[in-house]
Amino acid sequence: MSLLAAPVQAMPVREFIARWTAVEKLGEMAKLDPELRRLMNELETILGAWRADVDKAKAAAKPIACPPPPGQAEFESDKLMAHFKALSPAEQEIELKDGVYVYLNKTYPCR
């Protein structure tokens, strides 16, 4: 038995769609499903990383997006899922983090 942990595989958008859809089918019972918490935690981690990257890029005078200040925008998972489902099968193979970044950068462009 190896003492080294296997590297964590990045989740493709395709897999996230499948897992999210399966949880949604549970209706009100989804709130009790630990899978929902895992998926939400994944999104929260990515959102935090994105916000940090946005702040770093802004500080370097190379903005990648211009979201409202923290706490002033509500993240809408329905819109994210609609965006993901509209992607081609090939585009759905990108990592979830990259897919979320693309969505957020399009949602909050700098004008």
Side-chain angles (χ1 to χ4, degrees):
M1 183 158 85
S2 173
L3 296 177
L4 299 175
V8 175
Q9 294 288 359
M11 183 187 322
V13 167
R14 168 195 42 77
E15 180 182 337
F16 184 82
I17 292 169
R19 290 170 63 183
W20 188 270
T21 301
V23 170
E24 275 187 325
K25 288 179 182 177
L26 298 174
E28 286 297 314
M29 296 301 292
K31 295 175 185 174
L32 303 174
D33 192 321
E35 178 70 355
L36 178 61
R37 178 58 17 220
R38 284 190 287 273
L39 294 172
M40 293 299 293
N41 285 343
E42 184 77 19
L43 283 178
E44 289 170 7
T45 298
I46 293 170
L47 290 170
W50 177 76
R51 179 62 80 165
D53 287 346
V54 165
D55 291 346
K56 286 180 204 170
K58 183 179 177 183
K62 296 180 182 181
I64 59 172
C66 295
Q72 291 188 12
E74 187 172 314
F75 182 76
E76 297 180 47
S77 60
D78 291 344
K79 289 184 179 181
L80 174 66
M81 290 306 295
H83 169 78
F84 282 169
K85 289 177 180 180
L87 297 174
S88 71
E91 291 170 319
Q92 289 181 5
E93 292 303 318
I94 65 172
E95 288 185 24
L96 179 60
K97 179 180 178 182
D98 295 336
V100 172
Y101 272 49
V102 167
Y103 168 75
L104 292 171
N105 291 347
K106 284 182 180 179
T107 301
Y108 300 109
C110 296
R111 299 178 199 259

